[in-house]
Each structure stands twice: as structure tokens, then as C-alpha cells.
Amino acid sequence: MTESEAISLFKCLADKSRLQILKSLAVEDMYVERLAERLGLTAPTISFHLKKLWDAGAVTSYKNQYYMMYSLNKEIFGISILEILQQESDEAQEQAQRDAEYRQKVIDAFFEYGKLKAIPTQLKKERIVLEVIAEAFEFDRMYSEREVNIIIADFHDDFCTIRRDMVSERLLDRNGMEYWRMK
Amino acid sequence: MNEQQRKFELYLDEQITECRQRSKLLAADERMDEGNFEKVRANVYEIFKTILSAAEKVCGKDDGARKRFFLQKTDEIPTNWTTSYEEAKKQGDVEKVYIESIKLDTAREIKEMCMQIWEENT
């Protein structure tokens, strides 16, 4: 289900009459007049609501002798709200682009000729800075504390703070003697 | 304003009030679309209430002329609504079809009530 389909479905469901129609169709398939009688609404009102529900994919229809029968689209209602929320947003690409632009802005502001000018006070910015420094470490290689300090010192003099923060941000891990870059 | 006109205006006012009350109740009951349909109905009554006062201004105290003026408008005004209804039907626009049919049904009901009230008093 796309984001716009989900929005259209949720909007459609935010109406008591339409919910009553769906509840009736959950019991059995029905035609317009039967629904009208059951819910105390006029047939044109029911037709209007059914069209909205049909457009949103909530109901399906089929012909049975003289009647157009409506039924609940169980497939749609089998999707959990969590699944809808976990689906990639239609705007995911734009969001990723904005994130990348922000990241680059932070890097440009805090690094000059490969050196860190200052440790950012904002956690979000510090995380980006630490990620850049982490790139100087190879994966699957063990480093002594001295080696770690030397690598970090290439970026900033306060290597102790940065080393500790990299461990707390789970960019580096340690076992007491050695450090390694976390994947 | 004579007795018929007063009675007819009262009828229009009552309908407007009822539609507005129903609209509020429906909206409060989370039935927004149906609430909006009641607003559409109320608007039609309001249009014809305006026509009724226009009839008095245009035709003065001539009761027959006022009735003819009003009835002529009940035929003229819904012409556009009929066109919109047909067009919406062609396009499969169920919402528009329903709204236009509400307007046409209400206009028909107003015309019938107008004739009934004038006949009752003649």
C-alpha cells in the first residue's frame, strides 16, 4: 500500500456511517438497499459512501443476479497499521537527500583541511563528526589505545574526549586492552 | 406580505433551521459528509428565501405575479443543477451526482410546497 493509498483509506474510515457499512459487510456481503434498511440511511447516501469506500480499496463489488453485491476487501484490512508505518515513505529519497545535505553542512562547518576545529556541543552534530573520524579506522583490525589516540590526534588534540565519545556512541568498542571499529 | 407568503417564509426558515441542526448533529456524530449534505440542503432553502423576498420587491402587492415570479425561478434556477448532474453522471462523479440530486430534490420539494400553500389559501 502506497502512502497516498494509506492516507485515502484512513480518511475514508474516519466516518461513522462508513464504519457502520464496513461492520455490516464484515458480517456478510450486502447490496445497497439492504444496507440502507439496516443502517437507517437512504439508498443514495449508502451508494455515495460505498463509492468512497470502493475508491479507497476498502470494498469490492460483484454482480449477483439483479443486485450489485458489496463485500469487505479483507486483503486490505489484513495489513497491520505497523506494516503501513514501516513501509518506505514516498518521500524517502527527498528525506535521504536532505539528511545528506545536512551532514555535509556539519562536516564543512567543523572540519578545515581535515582537522576538527571544535567538538560540537550538539549531540546530533557530534555524532556526524565522530562518524567521519571513525572512517579513519579499518574494520576487523585491533588497535592499541596509543594507536587510537594517534589516529584521533590527527583530527583534534582532545583525543581522550573523542575516544571516550566514540566508544559511548558505539563507533568503537574495547575489551580493556584493545579497540576495534564497530560495524 | 400576505398570509401565504408569511406561511411559506416560515416553512423555509424552519427547513433552514432543521438542516443546520441536523448538520451539527451529524458532524458531532463523526458523519461529516452527511453533515455537509445537510448544509447543501440549507443553502437551497436560503436561495429560495432570497427569491421570495425578491418576488415581493419586483412584483409588489400583486399576489398572482409574486407566485408566478417565484414558480418561474423554481424552474429556471435548477436548470444549471440538472446540467451539472448530467455531466457528473457522465463522468462517474458519484459525490457530485449526489450533491446535485440533493439540490434538485430540495428545489422540487420547495416548488411543491409553494403550490400547496398558495392553493390552500385560495
Side-chain angles (χ1 to χ4, degrees):
Chain A
M1 189 185 288
T2 65
E3 218 164 58
S4 57
E5 283 169 344
I7 290 167
S8 141
L9 180 66
F10 290 144
K11 268 188 186 173
C12 189
L13 296 181
D15 183 282
K16 196 172 180 181
S17 296
R18 287 197 277 275
L19 264 189
Q20 297 304 322
I21 290 173
L22 291 174
K23 282 183 176 184
S24 297
L25 295 180
V27 178
E28 59 177 334
D29 295 356
M30 290 184 196
Y31 52 93
V32 171
E33 288 74 12
R34 173 87 180 85
L35 280 164
E37 189 183 86
R38 192 182 157 99
L39 301 177
L41 296 169
T42 65
T45 305
I46 293 287
S47 295
F48 163 81
H49 287 309
L50 281 171
K51 175 68 168 58
K52 283 216 154 181
L53 289 165
W54 196 88
D55 286 343
V59 299
T60 55
S61 59
Y62 61 93
K63 202 133 193 197
N64 183 12
Q65 288 183 321
Y66 306 110
Y67 296 108
M68 183 63 84
M69 300 294 286
Y70 288 87
S71 51
L72 201 65
N73 185 357
K74 293 196 175 83
E75 203 184 310
I76 281 259
F77 291 105
I79 301 171
S80 76
I81 291 174
L82 191 61
E83 278 175 75
I84 294 169
L85 297 181
Q86 283 169 340
Q87 258 180 2
E88 193 179 278
S89 166
D90 294 347
E91 289 183 11
Q93 239 180 334
E94 287 94 329
Q95 282 171 13
Q97 169 96 15
R98 280 196 288 270
D99 284 347
E101 281 169 8
Y102 174 76
R103 187 183 162 84
Q104 194 54 51
K105 212 171 121 186
V106 171
I107 292 169
D108 291 346
F110 284 91
F111 286 92
E112 192 174 49
Y113 308 120
K115 296 271 182 199
L116 182 63
K117 292 194 275 184
I119 301 171
T121 45
Q122 264 186 44
L123 279 179
K124 194 180 167 187
K125 288 179 181 172
E126 192 193 359
R127 170 78 198 186
I128 294 170
V129 161
L130 296 178
E131 279 171 1
V132 172
I133 297 172
E135 283 167 16
F137 291 84
E138 288 171 31
F139 287 114
D140 305 319
R141 192 188 142 182
M142 307 302 272
Y143 294 87
S144 66
E145 191 165 291
R146 191 170 172 275
E147 285 175 310
V148 171
N149 291 345
I150 290 168
I151 292 171
I152 297 173
D154 276 346
F155 294 94
H156 196 272
D157 293 340
D158 191 358
F159 48 80
C160 287
T161 304
I162 293 176
R163 190 189 66 232
R164 275 197 299 268
D165 288 352
M166 286 178 84
V167 172
S168 66
E169 280 293 314
R170 315 281 297 152
L171 291 165
L172 291 182
D173 206 353
R174 59 180 295 181
N175 62 7
M177 300 285 291
E178 290 175 310
Y179 294 79
W180 62 92
R181 186 176 172 187
M182 289 191 73
K183 287 178 183 164
Chain B
M1 191 188 282
N2 67 5
E3 180 60 25
Q4 289 129 317
Q5 190 158 340
R6 237 191 308 275
K7 204 170 170 186
F8 190 51
E9 201 172 301
L10 185 68
Y11 155 78
L12 291 171
D13 281 337
E14 279 172 1
Q15 297 304 312
I16 292 165
T17 309
E18 279 176 24
C19 286
R20 285 193 183 142
Q21 276 171 351
R22 276 199 300 267
S23 175
K24 274 187 193 162
L25 287 173
L26 286 162
D29 197 29
E30 304 298 343
R31 300 175 199 256
M32 288 306 289
D33 285 330
E34 286 162 49
N36 288 337
F37 296 149
E38 288 302 325
K39 282 186 191 165
V40 170
R41 243 176 230 119
N43 284 344
V44 176
Y45 288 115
E46 275 176 347
I47 289 169
F48 285 100
K49 196 184 160 191
T50 309
I51 300 291
L52 193 63
S53 26
E56 197 172 14
K57 281 181 194 147
V58 173
C59 310
K61 289 185 177 175
D62 184 344
D63 193 34
R66 277 207 307 260
K67 184 187 171 190
R68 279 194 300 278
F69 178 89
F70 188 83
L71 288 176
Q72 190 188 339
K73 294 290 175 194
T74 59
D75 289 330
E76 279 171 13
I77 290 170
T79 314
N80 286 337
W81 300 342
T82 308
T83 312
S84 298
Y85 172 85
E86 295 298 338
E87 186 55 31
K89 210 170 175 183
K90 227 188 285 173
Q91 301 295 326
D93 185 344
V94 173
E95 185 166 359
K96 183 102 173 137
V97 166
Y98 192 35
I99 288 171
E100 295 307 318
S101 69
I102 287 171
K103 285 151 78 176
L104 289 167
D105 288 346
T106 311
R108 227 176 342 258
E109 182 204 305
I110 291 170
K111 187 181 176 180
E112 279 168 18
M113 186 53 75
C114 169
M115 287 159 79
Q116 192 185 315
I117 288 174
W118 253 269
E119 273 161 28
E120 268 175 16
N121 291 277
T122 48

